[in-house]
Amino acid sequence: GVVVCISKIRMIGKIMQILPLLQSGADNERTRLICALKPLLSPVRRRKADEAMQIMRLLDVLPLVQKIL
């Protein structure tokens, strides 16, 4: 019904607030350090560094996701 539709719209709105955080390279001390080290790394380790930064972004966003659910 209408109540379900409104709650879904609210959920989508909350998710839309989180998406920019995932897409941005939300700078913090950890990600800045990894970015600074990347030019010194081999290509394989650069990919691993990128993966580590993605995981850190997810961990930063996790508390917001938990609030939604």
Side-chain angles (χ1 to χ4, degrees), residues 2-64:
V2 173
V3 174
V4 173
C5 186
I6 291 172
S7 66
K8 286 183 181 180
I9 291 171
R10 286 185 183 146
M11 178 74 71
I12 291 170
K14 291 178 182 178
I15 291 171
M16 294 299 288
Q17 292 173 347
I18 293 173
L19 285 178
L21 296 174
L22 286 173
Q23 294 169 345
S24 74
D27 271 351
N28 60 39
E29 292 176 7
R30 298 175 298 171
T31 56
R32 281 194 299 268
L33 174 63
I34 293 173
C35 283
L37 293 174
K38 277 179 63 174
L40 306 173
L41 301 175
S42 67
V44 171
R45 290 191 174 172
R46 284 182 192 165
R47 283 193 296 275
K48 289 182 181 184
D50 288 333
E51 291 173 6
M53 288 190 297
Q54 288 176 339
I55 290 169
M56 285 187 263
R57 276 189 221 116
L58 288 172
L59 290 174
D60 289 341
V61 173
L62 184 61
L64 299 173

